[in-house]
Amino acid sequence: MVAQEAVQHRSDTRSSDVVVIGAGQAGLSAAFHLRRRGLLPGTGFTVLDAGAAPGGAWAHRPPTLTMAAVHGFHELPGMPLPPFADQRPAREALPEYFAAYERAHDLRVLRPVRVRAVREGGAGRLRVETDSGTWTTRALINATGTWTRPFVPAVPGAADFRGRQLHSSQYLGPQEFTGQRVLVVGGGASAIQVLAETAAVADTLWVTRRPPVFREDRFTPEIGRAAVAMVERRVRAGLPPASVVSVTGLPPTPALLRARELGALHRLPMFERLTPEGAVWPDGRTERFDVVVWATGFRPEVGHLAPLNLRSPGGGIRLDATGTGVVADPRIQLVGYGPSASTVGANRAGRAAAVAVHRLLLAEEAGSGAATTGLAATA
């Protein structure tokens, strides 16, 4: 706590070979692999995190999401997951695991630190401006994820709707909707989770833009690879990352089976506009409801990188063949972005980013003829 207070009140400029922004799964993986390659916390690498405590996005999941319902979570490199009780809320169990990981590997995450902008800093360095001072750095690993940028589509009449509207990231459980009529918008796992819980206590409607694809088989590595390949093609072309639900479909998770059991999976196409009482569909159908839950996903949190002009004409940030390196600026790595947005992808991306950054630093030192800063020659 003392170190965090000191960070909050400093306004001077500090220097670090690598700055990692974000201490979720991808950021911690990157920090772990930087340490393995000989960089030390402080002058070697610095991890900045906006959260008040460890856990990343997991700390903000609804209390109804238990460890039994969490599927596809992969342990961080170098530390197995401890045995968790199935009914333990994920928002408690996983932040505890992240905190233990930070301590075990001495990553010294500085928090809460909010990055405002990253700019050119002169002499080939980047300038990271935060609410707790400024860092200059030779390389940057951006691991800010998507949780802080919930996406709600612009819909005609949204301002006129007199009921409640919330994004799925604000959902705290079904109890607040008891006896109401709830419209859930979205075709992904978050929408299914909300439907599975809310349909037990409220009258629910489900809306998606495209017809959902239900899988009767479990998620397989082949399906995962196909989804990652699709996203990789987009980011290599400089396009924004897209949803992978159209590739993976909706597997028979406990949440989906529960929603089906409750009769909540009768999907309607997207409505035309909202009204003060509900919505109107293109065919003239009208429905009344009290609440709209927008389970419509997230967008990458990369606004602080805007001063570097990294976006391609396609609107996204183009990545190289590693899936993490920014083509427009080799000093910058994006992890937890595009193909590395999953937990297993985040682990792999953290390693790839650390390897790339390490090579960049070694190449700089070899080119300048300067003495090394203690970097190991591990690749």
Side-chain angles (χ1 to χ4, degrees):
M1 189 63 182
V2 174
Q4 290 181 15
E5 290 296 323
V7 169
Q8 286 181 293
H9 290 90
R10 289 183 65 167
S11 59
D12 56 311
T13 298
R14 283 147 282 179
S15 177
S16 188
D17 285 333
V18 185
V19 169
V20 180
I21 305 176
Q25 183 128 8
L28 293 182
S29 173
F32 168 84
H33 287 291
L34 288 171
R35 230 188 187 297
R36 287 194 66 185
R37 280 157 180 77
L39 282 85
L40 297 178
T43 56
F45 72 91
T46 299
V47 184
L48 309 176
D49 189 54
W58 290 105
H60 307 287
R61 302 290 186 179
T64 52
L65 180 64
T66 63
M67 290 304 297
V70 172
H71 58 89
F73 183 85
H74 291 264
E75 63 189 31
L76 285 157
M79 179 179 282
L81 281 168
F84 291 123
D86 283 351
Q87 297 310 307
R88 184 91 187 277
R91 65 187 289 168
E92 297 175 4
L94 291 176
E96 283 183 8
Y97 171 64
F98 279 36
Y101 188 85
E102 291 180 17
R103 291 192 300 270
H105 296 291
D106 191 27
L107 300 181
R108 305 183 199 179
V109 178
L110 303 183
R111 59 167 58 91
V113 178
R114 295 186 178 276
V115 175
R116 293 171 174 160
V118 180
R119 309 178 191 278
E120 287 293 345
R125 299 181 74 90
L126 295 165
R127 178 180 174 87
V128 183
E129 300 172 356
T130 82
D131 61 357
S132 301
T134 299
W135 278 261
T136 63
T137 185
R138 297 161 65 190
L140 179 78
I141 299 178
N142 192 82
T144 45
T146 62
W147 185 261
T148 54
R149 280 202 66 204
F151 172 71
V152 175
V155 174
D160 301 324
F161 178 62
R162 290 197 286 258
R164 182 185 176 193
Q165 298 184 62
L166 70 155
H167 189 268
S168 58
S169 60
Q170 301 167 295
Y171 172 76
L172 296 177
Q175 64 281 348
E176 56 188 327
F177 305 136
T178 300
Q180 298 185 351
R181 200 155 198 249
V182 180
L183 178 72
V184 180
V185 183
S190 295
I192 299 300
Q193 186 73 36
V194 174
L195 281 170
E197 296 179 0
T198 303
V201 299
D203 185 11
T204 60
L205 291 171
W206 183 31
V207 165
T208 68
R209 286 197 179 277
R210 292 178 294 274
V213 177
F214 297 104
R215 300 190 64 89
E216 295 307 319
D217 55 333
R218 297 286 177 178
F219 190 86
T220 65
E222 291 74 23
I223 296 170
R225 284 193 289 270
V228 169
M230 182 197 75
V231 181
E232 282 182 343
R233 286 194 294 271
R234 289 186 61 86
V235 296
R236 287 181 189 175
L239 299 172
S243 168
V244 299
V245 170
S246 60
V247 175
T248 63
L250 294 169
T253 62
L256 187 140
L257 296 176
R258 177 58 174 159
R260 180 177 291 163
E261 177 186 324
L262 293 170
L265 297 183
H266 298 296
R267 167 260 181 192
L268 295 174
M270 189 64 183
F271 50 83
E272 186 175 70
R273 59 187 171 87
L274 289 174
T275 68
E277 292 77 29
V280 175
W281 274 257
D283 63 1
R285 175 177 182 158
T286 63
E287 294 284 355
R288 183 203 63 79
F289 38 83
D290 306 294
V291 181
V292 182
V293 180
W294 296 99
T296 43
F298 300 83
R299 297 293 183 265
E301 180 59 271
V302 291
H304 53 286
L305 302 178
L308 299 175
N309 297 314
L310 302 178
R311 290 194 183 275
S312 72
I317 298 176
R318 186 180 173 199
L319 302 185
D320 62 20
T322 68
T324 63
V326 175
V327 171
D329 193 330
R331 296 171 297 177
I332 301 172
Q333 301 284 316
L334 295 188
V335 295
Y337 176 90
S340 62
S342 66
T343 58
V344 66
N347 282 354
R348 293 169 181 164
R351 182 184 183 282
V355 168
V357 162
H358 179 239
R359 288 173 177 166
L360 175 73
L361 299 184
L362 288 176
E364 280 185 0
E365 291 175 352
S368 66
T372 67
T373 56
L375 294 173
T378 307

